[in-house]
Amino acid sequence: MSAPHYPAGTVRALLPTAHVSDATRAALQQRLDAPADYAPQLLAPETFALLEAVAACLFPQPDRPEHPIPLAPSVDQRLAEGRADGWRYDVLPPDREAYRLGLGGIQETAQALFLNDFPTLDTQQRHHVMQAVAGGTPPGTTWQTLDAARFFEEMLAELTETYYAHPLAQEEIGYVGMADLPAWTKIGLNEKDDREIPMSE
Amino acid sequence: MPDEEVLEEGVLSPVQPAIQDPLLRELMADAPTTAPALAIPQEQAQPTTAPLEEVDCVVIGLGAGGAPLLARLAQAGLKVVALEAGPWHNPAKDFATDERAQDFLFWNDERLSAGGDPLAMGKNNSGTGVGGSTLHYTAYTPRPLPDDLHIKRDFDKGEDWPLTYDDLAPYYEEVEQFLGVSGPSPYPWGPSRPKGYALAPLPLNSAAQLMVRGAEKIGIRTSPAPNAALSARYYQEGVGWREACTNRGFCQAGCSNGAKASMDVTFIPLAVKYGADIRPNSFVTEIERNAQGLITAVVYTQNGQQHRQPCRNLFLCGGSVETPRLLLMNELALSSGQVGRNLMAHPGVQVWGTFADEVRPNKGIPGGLISQDTHRPKDADFAGGYLLQSIGVMPVTFSGQVARGRKLWGQPLRDYMRNFNHIAGINILGDCLPHTSNYLELSDELDARQLPKPRLHFTAQENEHRMNAHAEKVMRNIWEAAGATDIWAFNRYAHVIGTARMGLSGDDAVVDRDGRAFEVPNLYISDNSTFPSALSVNPALTIMALSLRTADKFLEREQHRDA
């Protein structure tokens, strides 16, 4: 991982400054401060653990062994509160049902391919299972009623957007757009404002 | 923002869905913790409150279609009430520079997307709140070119407008001057204009500079784009001084300093100054008629209370989904058979490339550079045409597109996203033809208000496929010439259009050229649902121009009646 990124602590250092608005600071700080132990509100504990295993497969974070950016809680919270994002593929059932069915399906595919539960599989095997689901025709009776490719796309998009909404993930890709006050003045090619510190390799 | 507003806005499903699947039933039976009761206040049938006094006009929806005419009607001294489903925001306080924290701006009530190319809704194209979708439009305001309005005459495909460019030109000018559009004068494409843009163009950001570099090499003319974001302070009646754009790049989320001309900082304050009564959080469910078929009142729910507002005229401005949905639910103006039909969506293919230069694509106005050289390409094998624009992007939106469009996940996704500061994009906005397989209907699935969710059927046809292929090739050439590597295309469709088209007769159209329903003389529709064709430009400016024109035609008619 040699791509340029901001040194650890860049976003945390910017948050208390006058470059960040109160509303922005509150939103990002809340994500940084989210407690590590989350008790699922909607999904059953074993279903939630399954979602966590899937999220870890789709978003490997070997660089954060102790404190990975949490992804599954955001999904569980959204489903519990009944929030939507304005649309749904007509081929998929309502989100709660889709997640429960889909996670059950992943379990079924894991059993069909490796005779084991998904969370007990090794990295390579988990990858295989997800590949099969993403490909749209995985083994398992669930997938006869649930469109595997669409379910995978929806779940992946939700986890991905959750990941990159986190200040530490934004730091990782060199984004400090949250520090937008009073204005960006250097917006051309290869230009940066003073608060955009150089990135390291 | 109070919690109940969040909950009201985006609700998955009002009822516990019947579980069809045996595996799910099994899973749920195994699960010790079953789903808690929905934490959503269920709408109960409420007794209506004390009757409200009849007003001249009710306007439903306060986006680009509703706000301009609301101001015009109020200025004419009419008693007007505006009902907006979403809340009234305070941008300076409420709009964090954070995509997730701003997602309350989107119309998050669920719509069902069907067909071969299911349309992404919500943040892709639908807004809620006082200001409607203009709260999160990119403020990109090119005018259509005159031949956009007669695609059938020119290609024998699609539909012509019952209006000409010249009918709209004075309104384009008025809107551009009022909003304070920044842009090049003279504008390089289309007929000459009596007046230049109100302000000089906004500065070009790095994506725009790269597009200039690539386009020059392959002989495509470019120009800074017209944007309804202020390149300098601007004075506006009803508002006062609005401050210049700070290059924050968050136009698609929501502008926090009022530089972007969303309706909440332009036409709505003007309307308020002239006495318009704005009622936020007001969701209309019913439209009442008398024995003659004239609209007499609308019924709406505000903060859990049901109200009935009698009116002499109704202006329906809910956009291409909520407008036909209200018509269908109320069995209103359906005799032409066109309500819900002719659903169109702008081809909006994006092409992304990675550059050695530092781009930082989140800074500056997202739609910085335009070209209309592709309006009628000589080598086209399709009807109509498109425009090109450079695009900026924010990380959450971009990552979601990478996941969906590039099918990347795991370490390759993380590795690719680390190039964020070196990525730039171009996209198109192209015409779309109506087709019988593309339409909106009411589904059997109910939302939290016990109203049917809309279902949108959209399948791109031969013309859209050919246009997309042409455009993708052009954009790849530009990026290659500019020195990009790892070029990829994200196939997408933007603005939803059509569904209550205007035309010359009630046989094949819902409203006339003035926006008046053929079947219901005191019903007007003003939003992108009335567009007979999609136009090869972003719709907001034309929606606003039509809105002012509809108000003027209505006022003329009222005057004649009084005389």
Side-chain angles (χ1 to χ4, degrees):
Chain A
M1 279 186 255
S2 62
H5 60 93
Y6 279 126
T10 303
V11 171
R12 276 200 172 89
L14 278 169
L15 280 188
T17 69
H19 294 306
V20 179
S21 74
D22 290 341
T24 309
R25 186 178 302 115
L28 294 174
Q29 198 67 52
Q30 197 187 14
R31 262 165 251 160
L32 277 171
D33 296 345
D37 53 334
Y38 172 83
Q41 300 167 52
L42 179 96
L43 297 173
E46 58 272 30
T47 314
F48 183 76
L50 181 55
L51 178 59
E52 280 187 313
V54 169
C57 175
L58 295 178
F59 267 92
Q61 302 180 53
D63 44 337
R64 299 186 192 93
E66 300 294 316
H67 302 290
I69 291 172
L71 302 176
S74 157
V75 176
D76 179 73
Q77 242 159 17
R78 178 180 76 78
L79 295 178
E81 289 166 17
R83 277 181 289 120
D85 64 354
W87 67 289
R88 189 178 95 220
Y89 283 120
D90 193 45
V91 294
L92 294 179
D95 289 6
R96 289 174 175 181
E97 198 174 344
Y99 263 101
R100 284 194 173 121
L101 275 171
L103 290 167
I106 288 168
Q107 194 76 292
E108 215 185 344
T109 302
Q111 281 290 350
L113 292 177
F114 300 107
L115 305 171
N116 245 322
D117 283 351
F118 184 83
T120 62
L121 302 183
D122 66 30
T123 309
Q124 192 97 24
Q125 291 170 324
R126 288 183 182 194
H127 194 85
H128 260 95
V129 172
M130 295 320 301
Q131 200 91 55
V133 176
T137 49
T141 54
T142 303
W143 307 114
Q144 287 163 18
T145 51
L146 187 71
D147 187 310
R150 286 302 194 202
F151 167 73
F152 180 83
E153 180 196 333
E154 282 288 296
M155 179 174 66
L156 176 64
E158 178 162 15
L159 295 173
T160 301
E161 293 186 3
T162 302
Y163 183 81
Y164 287 106
H166 198 278
L168 297 183
Q170 297 185 344
E171 189 170 272
E172 170 187 323
I173 63 171
Y175 171 81
V176 289
M178 71 293 283
D180 61 335
L181 294 177
W184 294 113
T185 56
K186 308 271 178 62
I187 65 169
L189 267 183
N190 302 310
E191 288 182 350
K192 48 179 175 279
D193 286 79
D194 290 343
R195 58 187 180 276
E196 296 178 282
I197 58 163
M199 301 203 288
S200 30
E201 290 291 319
Chain B
M1 207 174 74
D3 283 340
E4 67 268 21
E5 288 176 4
V6 180
L7 293 172
E8 255 176 39
E9 276 174 17
V11 172
L12 293 176
S13 181
V15 285
Q16 292 288 0
I19 301 157
Q20 308 295 339
D21 190 275
L23 178 68
L24 175 66
R25 267 203 301 271
E26 206 177 296
L27 274 171
M28 289 190 68
D30 288 349
T33 51
T34 50
L38 275 174
I40 297 155
Q42 298 284 311
E43 295 289 359
Q44 300 294 329
Q46 303 271 349
T48 48
T49 51
L52 298 162
E53 196 190 325
E54 186 184 59
V55 295
D56 294 311
C57 304
V58 162
V59 177
I60 300 174
L62 277 181
L69 63 76
L70 179 74
R72 198 70 133 219
L73 299 174
Q75 280 175 300
L78 295 182
K79 196 158 187 196
V80 288
V81 163
L83 303 173
E84 162 57 45
W88 204 332
H89 300 291
N90 174 351
K93 230 177 92 249
D94 300 346
F95 292 4
T97 304
D98 180 83
E99 293 170 80
R100 190 147 272 204
Q102 281 204 26
D103 65 11
F104 55 77
L105 292 178
F106 310 129
W107 187 281
N108 289 319
D109 278 2
E110 202 161 78
R111 282 97 176 243
L112 305 177
S113 297
D117 301 274
L119 296 174
M121 303 297 292
K123 70 179 168 192
N124 189 42
N125 49 23
S126 309
T128 181
V130 174
S133 297
T134 66
L135 294 171
H136 71 93
Y137 78 143
T138 53
Y140 198 64
T141 46
R143 295 186 186 188
L145 298 183
D147 56 2
D148 271 321
L149 299 165
H150 45 78
I151 192 163
K152 185 171 188 177
R153 193 204 301 170
D154 295 351
F155 294 96
D156 200 26
K157 281 177 181 160
E159 196 52 64
D160 288 346
W161 286 51
L163 287 165
T164 66
Y165 177 85
D166 291 338
D167 292 325
L168 293 174
Y171 291 102
Y172 286 135
E173 184 180 296
E174 182 183 345
V175 172
E176 288 161 353
Q177 298 299 321
F178 176 71
L179 299 184
V181 171
S182 306
S185 303
Y187 187 74
W189 297 273
S192 67
R193 305 175 184 180
K195 234 184 200 168
Y197 282 115
L199 295 170
L202 289 154
L204 293 187
N205 64 8
S206 43
Q209 291 174 357
L210 286 168
M211 184 172 151
V212 171
R213 190 201 278 176
E216 260 177 10
K217 284 192 184 151
I218 64 168
I220 289 178
R221 281 181 305 164
T222 60
S223 161
N227 284 104
L230 303 175
S231 60
R233 291 183 88 206
Y234 196 69
Y235 187 80
Q236 186 186 292
E237 190 191 357
V239 178
W241 286 97
R242 286 170 52 216
E243 296 302 322
C245 174
T246 61
N247 299 319
R248 185 172 158 259
F250 255 62
C251 316
Q252 283 153 304
C255 180
S256 56
N257 79 332
K260 185 178 83 171
S262 44
M263 297 299 97
D264 59 324
V265 295
T266 54
F267 281 108
I268 291 166
L270 183 66
V272 170
K273 182 186 167 186
Y274 286 95
D277 177 354
I278 312 272
R279 299 182 191 159
N281 303 311
S282 299
F283 195 99
V284 176
T285 53
E286 233 177 287
I287 298 168
E288 293 180 4
R289 274 172 294 169
N290 64 16
Q292 287 76 47
L294 286 172
I295 289 166
T296 52
V298 297
V299 176
Y300 66 96
T301 304
Q302 187 185 37
N303 305 324
Q305 284 278 338
Q306 202 175 69
H307 304 271
R308 182 176 175 276
Q309 175 62 60
C311 61
R312 279 185 279 277
N313 299 281
L314 178 64
F315 292 78
L316 186 45
C317 314
S320 288
V321 179
E322 295 308 313
T323 286
R325 186 186 186 209
L326 272 169
L327 295 175
L328 291 167
M329 286 193 308
N330 288 281
E331 296 178 357
L332 198 59
L334 301 185
S335 67
S336 69
Q338 298 298 318
V339 171
R341 319 284 324 175
N342 315 303
L343 185 147
M344 296 168 274
H346 277 136
V349 193
Q350 302 176 337
V351 171
W352 299 96
T354 305
F355 293 85
D357 306 85
E358 282 190 13
V359 177
R360 297 171 196 271
N362 56 294
K363 293 198 290 183
I365 189 88
L369 196 81
I370 188 173
S371 177
Q372 289 194 283
D373 271 11
T374 47
H375 177 66
R376 293 289 180 262
K378 285 197 179 66
D379 59 345
D381 57 353
F382 51 83
Y386 58 93
L387 59 76
L388 296 165
Q389 64 173 124
S390 64
I391 41 176
V393 77
M394 303 174 290
V396 174
T397 301
F398 184 64
S399 67
Q401 293 185 183
V402 171
R404 287 182 194 274
R406 240 196 147 173
K407 316 263 181 238
L408 286 183
W409 53 279
Q411 196 59 47
L413 173 56
R414 282 189 69 193
D415 290 345
Y416 178 68
M417 282 300 294
R418 279 172 181 265
N419 297 310
F420 180 76
N421 276 337
H422 293 263
I423 284 166
I426 316 175
N427 77 354
I428 66 158
L429 212 287
D431 216 325
C432 174
L433 300 178
H435 191 271
T436 48
S437 61
N438 296 333
Y439 62 97
L440 176 147
E441 64 178 351
L442 301 179
S443 74
D444 294 335
E445 195 174 317
L446 302 181
D447 67 11
R449 299 180 177 87
Q450 301 300 308
L451 303 175
K453 291 183 182 178
R455 181 185 285 118
L456 290 81
H457 297 259
F458 185 76
T459 304
Q461 306 294 321
E462 192 58 35
N463 206 63
E464 286 82 55
H465 287 305
R466 289 180 180 188
M467 186 188 291
N468 282 336
H470 188 278
E472 187 181 326
K473 203 171 133 202
V474 169
M475 290 188 283
R476 281 179 182 273
N477 288 343
I478 293 174
W479 266 173
E480 271 162 26
T485 54
D486 194 16
I487 299 169
W488 65 283
F490 181 56
N491 199 9
R492 66 185 268 279
Y493 291 87
H495 321 105
V496 180
I497 287 169
T499 71
R501 66 153 60 144
M502 68 164 75
L504 294 172
S505 109
D507 293 341
D508 60 0
V510 182
V511 297
D512 67 14
R513 71 182 86 196
D514 301 340
R516 189 190 198 192
F518 286 110
E519 206 180 320
V520 188
N522 66 344
L523 170 66
Y524 291 78
I525 299 176
S526 172
D527 55 38
N528 48 353
S529 70
T530 69
F531 286 22
S533 74
L535 307 178
S536 64
V537 291
N538 305 57
L541 182 75
T542 299
I543 299 171
M544 292 182 231
L546 274 177
S547 175
L548 291 179
R549 188 179 179 280
T550 292
D552 282 355
K553 293 294 171 186
F554 168 78
L555 291 168
E556 271 171 33
R557 195 172 288 121
E558 289 293 287
Q559 244 167 14
H560 288 146
R561 211 180 53 173
D562 293 347

